[in-house]
Amino acid sequence: MFIFTKMTQIPVKINNKNPKLASYILSQYGGPDGELGASLRYLSQRFAQTDKSGIALLTDIGTEELGHLEMVGSIVTQLTKGEGARSFDRYGVGDYYIDHANGVYPSSASGVPFSAAYLQSKADPIADIMEDMAAEQKARATYDNILRMSDDPDVTNVIRFLREREVVHFQRFGELLVKLQSKIK
Amino acid sequence: MENNRQITAQQLMKKLSEAMFYVNDLKLYLDTHPEDSRALRMFDEACKNSEACREAFEKRFYPLMACSSDCDKEWEWLVGVWPSQKMA
Ligand SMILES: [Fe+2]
């Protein structure tokens, strides 16, 4: 089960407004390598794991990713808080405003709605963990792209933290893979 | 010693989030190194510290978990900074 705690892993406090940057960061909410896909992937794959380390790691990383989803949604909200239709339009994201106004909608930076087709659940522990390692690298690469676009230190601090977590997750999945492979031999 | 009057919600939250981060990171490590006795001891210590930090924050500011709400008068759970909001 999950129990909500009223805080984020690190505080999210964005002072400036920037609907355009928000629309880029939204990709880590509901885009192809975003946190929603990450948490759904791990929390779904764990049901087919038999190794206790595998079950635990997928559960614990999947849970952390749900917290990251919340942090990304919070960045997007704070970057657009109080901004109206004209502001969105001036920033070049009037189309997002028409569909969702100041709402956080799970979609990619290019406007594609979230899809479960971004992930797999194969009941094959090796295949699943290999996918997870690739997913962590793709999430890390997306955070790198966001860091290239952002010049707001309030945003950059949080994005750097999230990027670093993907590196740690990749490391842990790698250790799990070695363990699973050694059991096969 | 820190002057109690000057401790802000932000400062206590920083301590708490650092303590919880340590717990979480050790937890992932232990998932793949379940027999590391040094990490086990560190985890035990980290959990106690994070629990104490959370209680200190909740006592002074607002409930972070529903069951920490003070139910004497009104629904205190509503009080505080929700994840979409930023701390003052
Ligand atoms: Fe991750």
Side-chain angles (χ1 to χ4, degrees):
Chain A
M1 67 184 281
F2 296 89
I3 299 174
F4 179 75
T5 309
K6 200 193 291 162
M7 60 182 285
T8 46
Q9 210 173 11
I10 60 165
V12 177
K13 194 180 177 194
I14 316 291
N15 289 308
N16 297 319
K17 306 294 172 217
N18 187 337
K20 183 74 185 172
L21 184 58
S23 83
Y24 292 147
I25 291 170
L26 188 72
S27 226
Q28 281 303 77
Y29 195 83
D33 305 306
E35 301 289 354
L36 179 58
S39 50
L40 262 186
R41 176 182 299 111
Y42 307 150
L43 294 176
S44 301
Q45 288 177 354
R46 70 192 163 133
F47 293 113
Q49 281 280 338
T50 47
D51 181 273
K52 289 275 191 188
S53 278
I55 299 171
L57 192 65
L58 285 166
T59 301
D60 292 337
I61 296 183
T63 304
E64 186 179 349
E65 309 288 22
L66 270 181
H68 293 169
L69 179 73
E70 185 178 55
M71 289 167 73
V72 173
S74 182
I75 299 173
V76 171
T77 303
Q78 292 182 29
L79 278 172
T80 55
K81 182 107 197 278
E83 297 300 290
R86 296 296 170 115
S87 166
F88 273 74
D89 195 33
R90 268 198 305 279
Y91 276 96
V93 285
D95 40 6
Y96 186 89
Y97 187 88
I98 295 298
D99 290 338
H100 313 292
N102 298 60
V104 176
Y105 180 71
S107 54
S108 73
S110 42
V112 180
F114 177 75
S115 164
Y118 296 149
L119 55 105
Q120 252 293 21
S121 183
K122 211 71 188 163
D124 179 318
I126 303 283
D128 281 349
I129 299 305
M130 291 267 196
E131 172 183 331
D132 302 344
M133 293 178 71
E136 293 295 340
Q137 287 300 326
K138 289 185 279 183
R140 191 267 309 148
T142 309
Y143 282 125
D144 279 335
N145 293 343
I146 292 169
L147 288 170
R148 291 184 185 105
M149 291 286 189
S150 169
D151 50 12
D152 182 335
D154 293 345
V155 172
T156 302
N157 274 344
V158 184
I159 298 294
R160 280 216 180 95
F161 173 86
L162 294 171
R163 178 197 182 278
E164 194 58 41
R165 295 310 294 158
E166 311 303 11
V167 177
V168 172
H169 297 165
F170 176 78
Q171 169 75 24
R172 297 282 99 90
F173 281 132
E175 292 159 0
L176 177 64
L177 184 67
V178 170
K179 189 184 176 195
L180 296 179
Q181 284 169 331
S182 71
K183 271 171 70 178
I184 293 171
K185 279 165 198 164
Chain B
M1 277 291 278
E2 285 167 292
N3 182 346
N4 263 4
R5 278 163 203 264
Q6 285 172 350
I7 294 176
T8 64
Q10 263 194 65
Q11 286 167 325
L12 270 194
M13 179 53 80
K14 187 168 182 287
K15 274 182 88 170
L16 171 60
S17 57
E18 282 168 5
M20 284 181 66
F21 176 83
Y22 190 36
V23 168
N24 180 64
D25 212 34
L26 278 170
K27 180 174 64 177
L28 300 189
Y29 172 83
L30 279 163
D31 284 347
T32 56
H33 305 79
E35 278 130 37
D36 186 329
S37 56
R38 186 166 154 263
L40 284 167
R41 282 195 305 276
M42 288 160 79
F43 186 75
D44 189 47
E45 193 58 38
C47 286
K48 283 179 190 141
N49 181 44
S50 121
E51 193 70 357
C53 287
R54 185 169 61 79
E55 276 164 17
F57 182 94
E58 289 180 320
K59 204 172 154 210
R60 205 170 169 93
F61 298 103
Y62 54 83
L64 299 171
M65 304 193 76
C67 281
S68 311
S69 304
D70 180 347
C71 295
D72 279 356
K73 266 198 283 193
E74 53 180 15
W75 185 221
E76 200 204 9
W77 178 232
L78 306 185
V79 177
V81 181
W82 290 80
S84 58
Q85 303 170 318
K86 61 178 180 190
M87 264 196 179

